[in-house]
Amino acid sequence: MSIPQHLKYTKEHEWISVEGDVATVGITAFAAESLGDIVFVQLPAVGEKVAAGEVFGEVESTKSVSELYAPLSGEVVEVNDAVTETPELINSDPFDQGWLLKVRTDDVPELLDAAAYAALTQEG
């Protein structure tokens, strides 16, 4: 499993890419593989606020339903409609076309780098 070096990660298996004051959020390939075939995604609407550590949506797979936790606080400025229409994008391309949402934030918390995330997933 490839872990992109330029992203930051959470212990909840989400990735973040920050450009200016906007962070793109998705779930990692490890999470997507663990979930199995993703069949449904529920995301917040543009303009909604998300709070770090709080549930912002869910993904449903053929195995289970999992809640998504916001890795940071802010306002949702864009959602990836492609993943709500074609949820399997998260399985096939979690780090590119399978992104979930973009959040405008002024507070990016300390997150794991690729090496620390790799160590976490090897322990689990």
Side-chain angles (χ1 to χ4, degrees), residues 9-15 26-32 34 117 120-121:
Y9 300 89
T10 71
K11 291 179 180 174
E12 291 77 30
H13 307 290
E14 291 158 340
W15 60 264
I27 66 171
T28 65
F30 178 87
S34 298
Y117 184 71
L120 173 77
T121 58

Side-chain angles (χ1 to χ4, degrees), residues 1-118:
M1 172 181 58
S2 167
I3 299 173
Q5 298 293 312
H6 67 284
L7 302 174
K8 296 294 183 183
Y9 300 89
T10 71
K11 291 179 180 174
E12 291 77 30
H13 307 290
E14 291 158 340
W15 60 264
I16 299 172
S17 173
V18 180
E19 290 185 35
D21 64 349
V22 175
T24 302
V25 178
I27 66 171
T28 65
F30 178 87
E33 287 175 21
S34 298
L35 286 166
D37 294 332
I38 297 172
V39 296
F40 176 77
V41 181
Q42 178 186 18
L43 298 173
V46 170
E48 284 189 37
K49 302 276 189 212
V50 296
E54 299 292 317
V55 174
F56 72 82
E58 66 182 30
V59 292
E60 183 177 327
S61 71
T62 54
K63 292 182 183 178
S64 66
V65 175
S66 297
E67 293 180 324
L68 297 167
Y69 293 91
L72 42 75
S73 298
E75 179 184 349
V76 177
V77 295
E78 188 177 348
V79 295
N80 186 355
D81 292 329
V83 297
T84 57
E85 295 165 13
T86 312
E88 58 270 18
L89 280 174
I90 297 170
N91 293 109
S92 63
D93 196 3
F95 296 113
D96 190 20
Q97 294 180 13
W99 63 274
L100 300 175
L101 53 98
K102 295 185 180 190
V103 177
R104 179 168 288 118
T105 186
D106 58 6
D107 183 29
V108 177
E110 279 294 314
L111 300 167
L112 304 173
D113 63 14
Y117 184 71

